[in-house]
Amino acid sequence: MHELNRKEKLLKLIVEQFIRTAEPVGSSALIEEYDLPYSSATVRNEMAELERLGYLEKTHTSSGRVPSSEGYRYYVDYLRDAQVDTTMRYQIQNLFESKKGLEIDEVIEKGCEIISQMTHLTTVVLGPDANLERINKVQLVPLNDITAVAVFVTDRGHVEHKTFSIPKDVSIGELESCVNIINDRICGTPINKVADKVDSLRPILAERIKNHEIVFKAFLEAFLKFTTERVSVFGRANMFEQPEFTNNIEKIRKLINLLENDSAWKALETKEGINVRIGEENMLTEMDDVSIVTANISVSSNQHGTIALVGPKRMDYNKALAALEYLQEEINRFFIETDEEE
């Protein structure tokens, strides 16, 4: 960070004070809180100038000021401290050090749970494009005499499963025979073509197993999840606990629509590195008091996903960006190491 002039120092403190308290910031409170070596008149004049420049805004209910979208943008680009919280760093490091036995999904999910908890923000994960994956194997895991789990694994380590009830007149042997048929016919098939290929096996399955429709449906539903459920949300409740949204039913409704709009998230365009969309910069939502921070992740040499942190425009950008940058580095390193081991 460059050496800050007085205006920049004050803007940085105002942004960080407002992030912490969600209350408009006045000159007297600022001087008292940070023991500033400036007079009240000096601070008031500088705040008035920052307002004139578009970095601060007055509120209708207070004599204090709050950061504008331009103020947050300047803060993110030039004033923030890039330092990962020690506890968060330890938890993420511990996750990747004990990574043995974890599937791709588990590593990413656990990492996102950690940063959601530590930042008090909502994390949205956009998985890799399913069309680039192929089915590697299908397994049947009997849980008891009446229930079994069908497990599907792709060549990139993505795992999906479906629990289903075993029809009374169907044996485990018959089910295993069906799984063998499916493995023979679909292994190596691109995910986006699996559903059609399984559908073509319906006559063959009907010859091998009574009440085959129950089993067929379980397998087909699981395959469809590969292509339709690549958006996961963690820490959903964190958004609804923010002061900006707590008592505003209309904003809560819009937040729910945003978090549940999978097609909008899938259409989200991200560039290399960390991307920060502040308030009105967001094209995903009409809400001008929501910010979204995104990072691309590499899960193999040719597959990529995206992790997004969603919060109020008043989010702690220091913590959010540092957390996402660190998690991005660790995930990318993890999958590079995994590819090399294979």
Side-chain angles (χ1 to χ4, degrees):
M1 185 191 301
H2 65 280
E3 186 173 348
L4 305 184
N5 60 41
R6 188 167 62 196
K7 280 189 181 62
E8 290 175 320
K9 289 177 182 176
L10 289 174
L11 177 59
K12 183 176 189 295
L13 294 178
I14 291 167
V15 171
E16 292 174 354
Q17 177 80 350
F18 185 63
I19 286 172
R20 190 169 65 254
T21 66
E23 296 290 339
V25 181
S27 57
S28 298
L30 198 64
I31 293 170
E32 183 177 346
E33 177 70 23
Y34 297 101
D35 193 24
L36 298 178
Y38 314 129
S39 68
S40 293
T42 297
V43 173
R44 281 196 302 271
N45 289 337
E46 292 285 28
M47 290 176 71
E49 180 64 10
L50 286 168
E51 183 182 351
R52 188 189 69 78
L53 293 171
Y55 297 128
L56 297 180
E57 297 173 338
K58 273 186 177 177
T59 64
H60 299 297
T61 58
S62 169
S63 59
R65 291 174 174 84
V66 300
S68 65
S69 293
E70 290 79 6
Y72 283 119
R73 171 52 61 192
Y74 193 88
Y75 175 81
V76 167
D77 290 346
Y78 304 110
L79 307 179
R80 75 179 182 92
D81 301 312
Q83 189 170 0
V84 183
D85 179 273
T86 303
T87 303
M88 189 186 308
R89 179 187 291 271
Y90 171 77
Q91 290 190 18
I92 293 175
Q93 282 180 343
N94 188 54
L95 166 64
F96 286 94
E97 286 171 1
S98 58
K99 65 190 179 183
K100 290 184 178 179
L102 293 179
E103 300 288 351
I104 287 176
D105 298 0
E106 293 176 301
V107 171
I108 295 174
E109 287 175 8
K110 289 181 184 294
C112 290
E113 287 172 358
I114 290 170
I115 63 173
S116 276
Q117 291 169 2
M118 300 300 292
T119 62
H120 304 292
L121 300 172
T122 298
T123 307
V124 179
V125 182
L126 288 73
D129 186 350
N131 295 337
L132 299 177
E133 294 184 62
R134 297 175 181 270
I135 282 289
N136 189 39
K137 63 180 176 180
V138 181
Q139 293 178 308
L140 181 73
V141 182
L143 300 180
N144 49 49
D145 292 338
I146 60 173
T147 311
V149 178
V151 181
F152 312 90
V153 184
T154 73
D155 59 344
R156 297 302 177 186
H158 185 83
V159 178
E160 192 56 76
H161 67 274
K162 179 70 177 178
T163 303
F164 61 96
S165 298
I166 301 173
K168 290 182 180 180
D169 52 354
V170 174
S171 69
I172 294 297
E174 288 175 305
L175 288 176
E176 289 175 343
S177 175
C178 286
V179 170
N180 290 337
I181 292 170
I182 291 173
N183 268 318
D184 288 342
R185 302 296 201 284
I186 71 167
C187 283
T189 301
I191 291 296
N192 62 329
K193 297 180 180 179
V194 164
D196 290 337
K197 203 159 187 178
V198 170
D199 192 46
S200 70
L201 297 177
R202 191 191 295 257
I204 301 174
L205 295 179
E207 292 177 3
R208 298 293 184 93
I209 185 171
K210 298 174 184 177
N211 294 326
H212 72 283
E213 284 295 336
I214 295 175
V215 180
F216 175 80
K217 184 179 178 183
F219 279 69
L220 191 60
E221 285 180 357
F223 283 128
L224 289 173
K225 287 177 73 174
F226 272 119
T227 55
T228 60
E229 294 188 10
R230 287 301 175 92
V231 179
S232 303
V233 181
F234 303 91
R236 191 185 300 265
N238 290 341
M239 283 292 284
F240 306 124
E241 295 171 358
Q242 301 292 343
E244 292 88 341
F245 311 126
T246 303
N247 298 314
N248 191 314
I249 300 299
E250 180 61 19
K251 286 186 177 182
I252 290 175
R253 182 187 64 77
K254 289 179 179 179
L255 278 175
I256 293 172
N257 289 339
L258 169 63
L259 296 177
E260 293 182 349
N261 190 348
D262 286 5
S263 58
W265 287 106
K266 289 176 182 176
L268 179 67
E269 294 184 3
T270 58
K271 301 175 182 177
E272 290 297 318
I274 304 292
N275 299 279
V276 184
R277 296 172 173 85
I278 299 171
E280 299 88 342
E281 297 172 1
N282 267 311
M283 303 305 292
L284 274 183
T285 174
E286 61 190 38
M287 301 177 70
D288 60 7
D289 49 2
V290 170
S291 288
I292 300 174
V293 183
T294 60
N296 289 331
I297 53 172
S298 298
V299 297
S300 72
S301 58
N302 64 352
Q303 280 201 303
H304 307 278
T306 301
I307 297 177
L309 277 174
V310 186
K313 190 162 66 172
R314 186 187 51 83
M315 74 161 64
D316 187 336
Y317 293 97
N318 276 345
K319 186 175 285 188
L321 271 75
L324 205 50
E325 285 169 348
Y326 186 64
L327 181 62
Q328 179 192 45
E329 290 172 7
E330 289 297 306
I331 288 175
N332 290 345
R333 185 170 61 82
F334 169 76
F335 289 115
I336 289 172
E337 292 175 356
T338 300
D339 281 349
E340 288 175 350
E341 289 172 3
E342 294 176 350

